[in-house]
Amino acid sequence: MGNNICGIEEDKKQSLQPESKVITTRTINQTTIQIVQADIVEELVDVVVNSSHEPGWSYISKRDKNNKTNELLQEMKIGELIVTNTENVNSVQIFHVRLPFYQDSKDLLPIFNVYKECLQQKGHKTISFTEQNTPNFLIPKQFHAEVLIRAILSAIQEGDIEFELIKFVSLDQLTLKYFAYELMKQLDELKIPELFKLRYQQFMNFLQNGEDAQQDVYPLSTGITTEIEDLVEQQ
């Protein structure tokens, strides 16, 4: 094994990362999913996902300080994935994805699709996602949580994934509660395969058709906002 951690070269680890806190850990089909309270640029992983409407202006890009990469990111199209090597982030590569400017539920489909594309990339074992990176990407936290967790679980169920560890990383407690809640909710569905399949089909139909769907409106993470926010306020 030597001194190589998560495939990261020694010169990528000059400073020790701050202590992180694992909120939730679950393993499905040999892939571990973690919800972690930490700074994403300090986490030791093979890949970090820089997802934003403007990836070149995100927190991750600013910390990486790679001028050549920033020039490339300025020309990205919506839904595009660009892979670059890192300069000042504790990972081997960054998956940059440009997301749509969120206005309504129909904008969630390209987000879901590009997250699946990230998860289907080969050659790495560990990957970290985070919440929106710039103020103008205003997807509601509960919607973002459901989209990412469903992308992860569907990729695992389809068997088209090489990642052994998938993290969602944030420093914000409310955001972490949304993602931990959503993970546990969907894992409960997964205990009944037909229910998980039905929910996934309803979810995809809703993303593709929004409120025009010819069915009962899919309850996209409804009923958790007030409960979680009240819980945080009481702490």
Side-chain angles (χ1 to χ4, degrees):
M1 294 176 60
N3 295 321
N4 196 343
I5 300 176
C6 297
I8 300 175
E9 298 171 1
E10 192 64 31
D11 59 2
K12 290 281 187 182
K13 303 187 266 77
Q14 295 300 320
S15 59
L16 293 176
Q17 61 177 337
E19 182 179 356
S20 60
K21 179 181 179 182
V22 177
I23 306 299
T24 302
T25 298
R26 292 294 185 272
T27 299
I28 306 97
N29 296 351
Q30 300 182 334
T31 299
T32 298
I33 305 170
Q34 290 185 340
I35 310 297
V36 182
Q37 184 173 17
D39 185 336
I40 189 170
V41 301
E42 302 294 345
E43 283 289 286
L44 292 176
V45 290
D46 294 338
V47 175
V48 295
V49 178
N50 175 28
S51 55
S52 174
H53 180 60
E54 297 179 359
W57 294 96
S58 73
Y59 169 66
I60 293 173
S61 289
K62 289 179 180 178
R63 286 291 301 269
D64 196 43
K65 300 178 182 179
N66 188 327
N67 293 331
K68 292 183 179 179
T69 293
N70 283 343
E71 293 176 6
L72 184 64
L73 300 184
Q74 301 305 317
E75 301 178 0
M76 288 183 70
K77 298 177 181 179
I78 299 296
E80 186 177 2
L81 165 64
I82 292 178
V83 179
T84 65
N85 295 326
T86 61
E87 294 290 336
N88 298 289
V89 173
N90 279 343
S91 65
V92 176
Q93 291 186 324
I94 301 177
F95 288 0
H96 304 274
V97 295
R98 189 176 184 199
L99 304 178
F101 184 90
Y102 180 81
Q103 294 180 306
D104 57 40
S105 60
K106 289 184 179 180
D107 294 320
L108 298 174
L109 181 59
I111 298 173
F112 175 83
N113 287 339
V114 76
Y115 282 166
K116 284 285 289 284
E117 185 179 358
C118 289
L119 292 163
Q120 291 164 350
Q121 300 301 303
K122 309 302 181 184
H124 295 294
K125 299 300 182 183
T126 59
I127 185 171
S128 286
F129 293 82
T130 189
E131 74 270 32
Q132 55 261 40
N133 280 308
T134 57
N136 60 2
F137 173 40
L138 299 177
I139 176 173
K141 292 180 185 294
Q142 68 270 30
F143 289 5
H144 187 205
E146 177 156 9
V147 167
L148 177 58
I149 299 301
R150 287 211 182 275
I152 292 171
L153 293 183
S154 63
I156 293 173
Q157 292 299 104
E158 292 163 7
D160 190 18
I161 190 169
E162 288 187 0
F163 290 105
E164 297 175 357
L165 175 61
I166 303 170
K167 296 183 180 184
F168 175 80
V169 181
S170 176
L171 289 169
D172 180 67
Q173 291 188 7
L174 178 59
T175 298
L176 292 166
K177 288 179 182 292
Y178 277 115
F179 279 81
Y181 181 97
E182 192 64 42
L183 175 60
M184 299 312 297
K185 185 185 79 172
Q186 292 188 37
L187 288 178
D188 281 343
E189 293 176 4
L190 193 57
K191 294 176 182 177
I192 307 173
E194 290 303 316
L195 175 61
F196 180 81
K197 182 178 180 181
L198 174 63
R199 290 285 188 255
Y200 179 75
Q201 290 174 339
Q202 291 175 326
F203 169 78
M204 291 304 300
N205 190 32
F206 182 81
L207 293 196
Q208 292 165 357
N209 301 290
E211 295 184 3
D212 296 330
Q214 298 299 312
Q215 63 174 44
D216 293 336
V217 175
Y218 177 75
L220 190 72
S221 298
T222 56
I224 68 172
T225 306
T226 303
E227 174 186 347
I228 292 180
E229 289 179 345
D230 288 346
L231 179 61
V232 172
E233 289 174 0
Q234 293 171 7
Q235 291 179 345

